[in-house]
Amino acid sequence: SWYRFDENTGSPTTLSDATISRNDGTASGTMDSSDWLSGKFNSSLDFDGTDDAITVANADPIDLNINLFAGFTFAAWVYPNSD
């Protein structure tokens, strides 16, 4: 799965998986359209550090118990701040 976090449109309720697997994520917490920020490339999301989260349903392509030995990569651009 690949979550770009660059949709930059409307309330971030669903974040699209850019792969053919379509394991879209669902936003929770107090996320709204003001959480879209200008990013290094396109846009980004501002997580408040309290209750904002993205949840992805369990699916075989992203289940580490099934695919752990096949290899995986986690990558993120993170800009921490105290605001």
Side-chain angles (χ1 to χ4, degrees):
S1 296
W2 175 24
Y3 305 96
R4 296 179 182 171
F5 293 91
D6 69 353
E7 287 89 344
N8 197 21
T9 178
S11 179
T13 54
T14 300
L15 291 138
S16 299
D17 175 3
T19 71
I20 60 171
S21 299
R22 304 305 304 163
N23 295 307
D24 295 343
T26 303
S28 61
T30 56
M31 298 182 85
D32 61 27
S33 60
S34 69
D35 289 310
W36 289 114
L37 304 175
S38 295
K40 184 163 180 76
F41 301 102
N42 300 319
S43 61
S44 61
L45 274 175
D46 180 25
F47 291 82
D48 64 15
T50 303
D51 64 353
D52 291 352
I54 305 297
T55 303
V56 179
N58 192 18
D60 285 351
I62 58 174
D63 187 337
L64 296 182
N65 289 324
I66 293 173
N67 291 311
L68 187 59
F69 298 107
F72 61 92
T73 301
F74 290 102
W77 289 66
V78 178
Y79 178 77
N81 64 33
S82 60
D83 295 339

